[in-house]
């Protein structure tokens, strides 16, 4: 009796093995086999992100050994160009002010006051550019250079693609979000939050 069960079980497993490989229907017997076969003629340029990113205005940057694209920023900044109003020194502008501060909606919530104020990144005499800690002008399109002065760890991760996010697919050319696409420079911290949850009960009620 035991032997019969054994034989039945064995036949069953052999059949399972034979039929798990669906012959012509699926060309490959396993994922590994498929990867091996399909990567044979892959030279790194047979697929491209080009169709997905061609609509996005971007600029090419080279940082160390990494050359990639980031989205252009200046056309996205509401009050650019700054020099439309910043025609005089800040002192003069402030003296001529009647009523509300011009940028009343910007409250700095980044580092403490000893480390940072508006003039850490903005230059009253050249408002159309950002500035480094040593007063070197930084184009708004390259604002990551301002961030990298203090956040070198995240900057290094970002260059290599470990911090931040790539746009479109993994295929070249690489277009990566720049720091200010995700972090508001005036209030860069993210609050902790619950992961998104899919509420099935709610979905049922709506049916
Ligand atoms: C619509 C006019 C206008 C535009 C556009 C504008 N500013 Fe200003 N900004 C002002 C005025 C007026 C002041 C000074 C008086 C005040 O604070 O109200 C000022 C002050 C500032 C200050 C000093 C704030 C402080 O509290 O010390 C900074 C920094 C600044 N602007 C940055 C910018 C940058 C950067 C841009 C462009 C991205 C810009 N502004 C565009 C009108 C403008
Ligand atoms: C850590 C650097 C940093 C500091 C400090 C800083 N800014 Fe900015 N600010 C930036 C960057 C970077 C941008 C451009 C962001 C972008 O590309 O959208 C910007 C943009 C702006 C703009 C244009 C915003 C818009 O959407 O039109 C204004 C106005 C401005 N800053 C004013 C100020 C004022 C006023 C202060 C002080 C209260 C200040 N900033 C402090 C980095 C800084
Ligand atoms: C002058 C130095 C300096 C510059 C320039 C600077 N930061 Fe910061 N940043 C700090 C300090 C100091 C803190 C607060 C301490 C901390 O939490 O690490 C901070 C905090 C942060 C945080 C929150 C960290 C946390 O733990 O949640 C983020 C995100 C951030 N900065 C992003 C940026 C981005 C993006 C830029 C460029 C637009 C930038 N920083 C420019 C010094 C700087
Ligand atoms: C695609 C969006 C994205 C981009 C681009 C991005 N960051 Fe972040 N960053 C994040 C997220 C998400 C976190 C994690 C926040 C958390 O854990 O609460 C973070 C965290 C941080 C922190 C807090 C410390 C940490 O590692 O948790 C700093 C500082 C920071 N980023 C700086 C930068 C700088 C500088 C750049 C550009 C060189 C940059 N980030 C680009 C999304 C981004």
């Amino acid at each position: 009796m035991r032997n019969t069960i054994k034989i039945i079980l064995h036949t069953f497993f052999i059949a399972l093995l034979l039929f798990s490989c669906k012959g012509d229907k699926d060309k490959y017997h396993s994922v590994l086999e498929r990867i091996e076969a399909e990567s044979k003629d892959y030279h790194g340029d047979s697929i491209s992100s080009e169709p997905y990113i061609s609509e996005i205005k971007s600029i090419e940057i080279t940082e160390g050994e990494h050359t990639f694209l980031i989205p252009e920023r200046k056309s996205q900044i509401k009050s650019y160009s700054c020099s439309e109003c910043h025609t005089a020194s800040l002192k003069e502008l402030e003296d001529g002010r009647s009523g509300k501060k011009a940028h009343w909606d910007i409250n700095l919530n980044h580092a403490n006051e000893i480390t940072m104020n508006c003039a850490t990144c903005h230059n009253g005499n050249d408002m159309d550019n950002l500035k480094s800690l040593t007063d070197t002008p930084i184009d708004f399109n390259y604002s990551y250079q301002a961030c990298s002065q203090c956040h070198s760890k995240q900057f290094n991760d970002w260059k290599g693609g470990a911090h931040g996010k790539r746009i479109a697919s993994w295929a070249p050319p690489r277009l990566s979000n720049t720091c200010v696409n995700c972090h508001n420079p005036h209030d860069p911290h993210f609050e902790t939050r619950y992961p998104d949850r899919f509420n099935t009960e709610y979905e049922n009620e709506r049916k």
Side-chain angles (χ1 to χ4, degrees):
M1 184 61 190
R2 249 205 209 139
N3 275 345
T4 334
I5 292 177
K6 252 190 196 162
I7 289 166
I8 291 174
L9 275 178
H10 275 139
T11 337
F12 177 72
F13 280 122
I14 288 165
L16 200 68
L17 272 177
L18 282 175
F19 285 104
S20 65
C21 188
K22 290 184 222 89
D24 281 349
K25 229 174 159 195
D26 194 358
K27 270 188 353 209
Y28 308 109
H29 302 289
S30 70
V31 177
L32 282 180
E33 196 179 315
R34 191 178 67 204
I35 292 172
E36 211 161 279
E38 293 196 354
S39 51
K40 239 185 211 145
D41 294 322
Y42 180 73
H43 303 298
D45 53 6
S46 55
I47 52 170
S48 163
S49 283
E50 202 74 64
Y52 310 108
I53 64 174
S54 53
E55 307 253 295
I56 302 169
K57 225 168 134 196
S58 58
I59 52 169
E60 188 178 273
I61 60 162
T62 297
E63 288 295 338
E65 63 206 57
H66 304 281
T67 296
F68 56 99
L69 302 164
I70 57 172
E72 183 272 349
R73 280 307 294 172
K74 280 190 216 170
S75 62
Q76 306 295 316
I77 302 172
K78 260 186 294 161
S79 46
Y80 197 84
S81 70
C82 320
S83 57
E84 279 187 31
C85 298
H86 285 273
T87 47
S89 73
L90 272 180
K91 174 105 196 12
E92 283 172 88
L93 286 177
E94 269 159 26
D95 287 346
R97 182 174 73 207
S98 56
K100 248 185 185 170
K101 273 180 104 170
H103 306 296
W104 54 272
D105 52 340
I106 294 178
N107 291 311
L108 207 54
N109 178 23
H110 191 153
N112 66 38
E113 286 142 39
I114 302 167
T115 318
M116 192 182 280
N117 58 33
C118 311
T120 308
C121 305
H122 297 290
N123 175 359
N125 300 317
D126 175 20
M127 225 31 127
D128 282 344
N129 287 301
L130 295 161
K131 67 177 257 306
S132 78
L133 298 173
T134 56
D135 285 334
T136 312
I138 298 173
D139 190 294
F140 272 97
N141 279 339
Y142 300 83
S143 55
Y144 68 86
Q145 289 172 351
C147 318
S148 70
Q149 301 173 103
C150 305
H151 301 292
S152 52
K153 185 184 161 289
Q154 285 78 14
F155 169 64
N156 279 323
D157 288 350
W158 173 77
K159 269 194 307 199
H163 187 105
K165 187 178 185 302
R166 248 172 117 120
I167 301 168
S169 82
W170 285 102
R174 169 186 165 192
L175 172 60
S176 286
N177 269 331
T178 185
C179 315
V180 292
N181 287 125
C182 302
H183 298 287
N184 177 344
H186 307 130
D187 186 7
H189 176 72
F190 289 112
E191 291 307 319
T192 46
R193 48 179 281 188
Y194 283 110
D196 260 351
R197 282 173 297 181
F198 183 69
N199 191 334
T200 47
E201 217 29 65
Y202 188 59
E203 283 301 306
N204 286 338
E205 278 166 18
R206 285 195 344 181
K207 267 183 196 153

